[in-house]
């Protein structure tokens, strides 16, 4: 038996599971957003399927930078801008 790691939730007749909002928040899942579910023989996984870039608002895979979620193209732009800036300052 695995050590009990989480909280107990009761599954409703219709399959409804109430997940505490702070757990959703930790996982980056916002109310009314879509999640991806997958399961194996003893686990059910819930993963956010909607991640939005804080800069361009694109629904895509994002990287956490500080407390922001930033997509790859925006991250590349920022990195490049930072490099150009430091090059200018070095001259
Ligand atoms: Zn972006």
């Amino acid at each position: 038996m695995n050590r009990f790691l989480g909280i107990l939730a009761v599954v409703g007749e219709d399959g409804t599971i109430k997940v505490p909002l702070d757990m959703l928040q930790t996982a980056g899942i916002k109310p009314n957003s879509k999640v991806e579910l997958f399961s194996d023989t003893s686990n059910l996984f819930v993963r956010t399927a909607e991640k939005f870039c804080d800069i361009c608002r694109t629904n895509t895979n994002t990287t956490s930078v500080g407390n922001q979620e930033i997509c790859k193209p925006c991250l590349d732009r920022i990195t490049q801008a930072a490099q150009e800036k430091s090059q200018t300052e070095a001259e």
Side-chain angles (χ1 to χ4, degrees):
M1 178 72 186
N2 287 338
R3 204 151 54 88
F4 185 63
L5 294 172
I7 55 124
L8 278 179
V10 179
V11 183
E13 296 280 346
D14 58 353
T16 309
I17 304 171
K18 269 203 176 176
V19 182
L21 285 173
D22 61 335
M23 274 193 165
L24 293 177
Q25 200 171 26
T26 303
I29 299 169
K30 295 183 179 70
N32 297 318
S33 70
K34 288 196 177 69
V35 291
E36 182 183 359
L37 302 174
F38 43 103
S39 60
D40 61 23
T41 52
S42 60
N43 299 291
L44 170 69
F45 300 93
V46 183
R47 186 168 74 175
T48 179
E50 288 187 351
K51 284 231 169 185
F52 293 92
C53 174
D54 284 340
I55 294 170
C56 64
R57 314 310 302 174
T58 305
N59 181 358
T60 181
N61 279 333
T62 57
T63 307
S64 293
V65 179
N67 57 359
Q68 287 196 305
E69 294 293 329
I70 297 172
C71 72
K72 185 81 168 58
C74 285
L75 201 60
D76 287 347
R77 263 207 325 273
I78 292 167
T79 309
Q80 203 178 2
Q83 279 168 355
E84 280 169 9
K85 190 169 184 291
S86 64
Q87 276 167 10
T88 313
E89 280 166 1
E91 281 168 6

